[in-house]
Each structure stands twice: as C-alpha cells, then as structure tokens.
C-alpha cells in the first residue's frame, strides 16, 4: 500500500454514460497527477495539479474533466468516452522538496463499450 | 514540454547477466530522474532515483548514472534474477516548478533462468 487509493478498481461504461474516477492520498503531498496507461502509449501524462491548481493539461480531450477540490482528493470525470479511451488510469502524488518520489495508486481499469 | 525517450523497448538477458536501459530527455530544467518498476497487474513502484546534482547513485544491484550535458541517464542492473523481470520506466521531472513528470515508453525486461 503506497498511501494513494483509487476507486473504483474496474469500470465498464457505455459511450453515453457519465462516470467519475476518484483518487485519494493522505501523504501530505502537494502535487497530484492523472496518467493513462495503454499498450500504445504507456504512462501518458494527462493532468497535473499543484496545490489544487491545474498546472498541466497535456492536450487531453474535453470528454475528460479533472477536479481537485483539495490537496488530498483528485477526480477524473468521464463523459461520452470512446472505445479507444479504454485503458488503465493511474493517479499519483508527490511532494516538492526533500523526497520527490511519486507514489502511484493501483489504477482504475476502464473499459468503454 | 519535456520529452523522454527510452531504449530498448524489450530486453532479454540470462540470469546473472547485467541489464542496461537508457533514457534521454529534452528539457534542461529537469532536475529529478526516477526509475520505476511495474510488475504485471501492479502499480509502478520507485526503485531508484537521482537528482541533477549527482552523477551516479547505487543501491545494491541497481545503479543509475546521469549525464546532464548530454541529457541522458541510464539504469544498470547487475547479477539479474528472474524476479527482476518487469517493465521499467524512466522519468524526468522539474521539482519545485510545475511538477510535470514525463515517462519514457518503458522497457520490458525478461530474465531467463
């Protein structure tokens, strides 16, 4: 257990559904990340939040909408996804200064049907 | 933004041999270079990291070298064991900036007994 928890672990959704992925960390970290891991592009950075402020949006389609209500929680809202969006979505968190190690959650395996 | 290239994409070695994985990065502002190991069905986990003020770091059978001038860094695993078989990812990050952490495409290492 790394201290980063993601729910749900598995999600199957239709292309017209709306769902949300949740990530939670109680490590006191100030940065949180969403990564997409697929066979085609392993560990593709999607979003970065620093102190709850989004600092990176790596040209992600608008059908993915992140939300960071506080420094411990990160959401990824999903809307009208495509089958090619099926992948493992990994959340990570890190802390500036001192140890800079990023800790990953277990991921959410998303299947869009 | 940062771009990280990783080679080779697959590597097969005999147990006891050494394995070397190489990465290059593009952003000279990057100052933190972690290596992650991801076993099948599990989350990526940090195995070793190096900061830009250090040229080499060793931890038992694994070592990382960094050449800031050439913007490349390498992972060295000596006396490989079957349990070293996994996918290894390098990453580059600018700590205390926007925390953008980009990963290489990964190397699938297979250690044959």
């Amino acid at each position: 257990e790394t201290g980063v928890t993601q729910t749900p672990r598995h999600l199957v959704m239709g292309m017209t559904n709306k769902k949300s992925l949740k990530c939670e960390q109680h490590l006191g970290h100030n940065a949180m990340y969403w990564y997409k891991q697929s066979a085609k592009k392993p560990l593709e950075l999607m979003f970065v939040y620093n102190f709850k402020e989004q600092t990176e949006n790596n040209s992600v389609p608008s059908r993915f909408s992140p939300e960071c209500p506080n420094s411990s929680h990160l959401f990824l809202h999903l809307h009208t996804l495509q089958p090619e969006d099926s992948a493992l979505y990994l959340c990570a968190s890190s802390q500036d200064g001192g140890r800079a190690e990023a800790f990953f959650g277990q991921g959410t395996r998303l299947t869009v049907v | 933004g940062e771009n990280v290239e990783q080679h080779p994409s697959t590597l097969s070695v005999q147990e006891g041999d050494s394995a070397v994985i190489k990465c290059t990065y593009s952003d000279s502002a990057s100052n933190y270079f972690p290596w992650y190991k991801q076993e099948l069905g599990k989350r990526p986990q940090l195995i070793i990291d190096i900061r830009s003020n250090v040229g080499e770091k060793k931890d038992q059978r694994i070592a990382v070298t960094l050449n800031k001038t050439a913007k490349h860094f390498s992972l060295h695993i000596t006396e490989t064991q079957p349990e070293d078989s996994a996918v290894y990812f390098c990453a580059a990050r600018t700590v205390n900036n926007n925390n953008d952490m980009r990963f290489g495409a990964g190397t699938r290492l297979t250690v044959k007994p």
Side-chain angles (χ1 to χ4, degrees):
Chain A
E1 183 58 52
T2 62
V4 181
T5 304
Q6 287 185 244
T7 54
R9 293 288 305 277
H10 301 273
L11 177 63
V12 179
M13 59 185 289
M15 289 189 284
T16 58
N17 290 159
K18 288 185 181 181
K19 296 286 184 183
S20 295
L21 310 185
K22 180 182 177 182
C23 178
E24 188 172 352
Q25 60 91 7
H26 295 288
L27 301 169
H29 290 172
N30 63 296
M32 295 187 78
Y33 312 75
W34 278 118
Y35 286 90
K36 176 183 178 183
Q37 187 172 36
S38 62
K40 292 183 179 180
K41 291 187 179 180
L43 288 177
E44 181 182 2
L45 180 65
M46 299 176 73
F47 302 103
V48 181
Y49 276 83
N50 285 276
F51 293 103
K52 302 185 301 177
E53 298 295 324
Q54 184 177 309
T55 56
E56 184 71 21
N57 178 340
N58 195 29
S59 302
V60 180
S62 59
R63 58 186 183 269
F64 295 92
S65 174
E67 179 190 1
C68 190
N70 55 63
S71 57
S72 298
H73 294 84
L74 184 65
F75 295 89
L76 187 62
H77 303 300
L78 315 173
H79 174 52
T80 59
L81 296 192
Q82 305 297 313
E84 59 265 29
D85 296 322
S86 299
L88 180 68
Y89 288 84
L90 287 161
C91 171
S93 70
S94 67
Q95 179 64 41
D96 277 343
R99 286 186 64 85
E101 175 181 359
F103 292 85
F104 281 87
Q106 287 276 31
T108 295
R109 174 68 62 184
L110 174 68
T111 303
V112 181
V113 296
Chain B
E2 176 65 273
N3 182 46
V4 179
E5 304 261 349
Q6 182 172 346
H7 300 280
S9 57
T10 60
L11 179 59
S12 181
V13 300
Q14 206 66 40
E15 182 177 1
D17 288 350
S18 294
V20 180
I21 302 171
K22 298 182 179 181
C23 288
T24 61
Y25 62 99
S26 60
D27 189 350
S28 57
S30 290
N31 54 14
Y32 175 68
F33 307 92
W35 286 88
Y36 283 79
K37 176 183 180 183
Q38 187 176 26
E39 297 176 352
L40 190 62
K42 297 188 177 181
R43 73 187 88 195
Q45 293 198 293
L46 182 78
I47 55 170
I48 195 167
D49 55 11
I50 191 168
R51 288 185 180 256
S52 57
N53 59 349
V54 175
E56 185 174 358
K57 184 177 178 181
K58 190 174 181 180
D59 182 4
Q60 298 183 335
R61 295 187 298 108
I62 59 174
V64 58
T65 59
L66 170 66
N67 183 328
K68 280 196 302 181
T69 304
K71 296 202 199 69
H72 66 69
F73 55 113
S74 301
L75 177 71
H76 304 252
I77 306 174
T78 58
E79 301 171 30
T80 54
Q81 301 167 3
E83 50 265 38
D84 294 330
S85 297
V87 179
Y88 292 81
F89 293 95
C90 63
R93 177 176 154 212
T94 307
V95 177
N96 294 326
N97 194 351
N98 62 8
N99 274 315
D100 185 347
M101 185 165 66
R102 306 285 174 142
F103 283 83
T107 296
R108 183 172 298 280
L109 174 65
T110 302
V111 180
K112 296 178 284 186

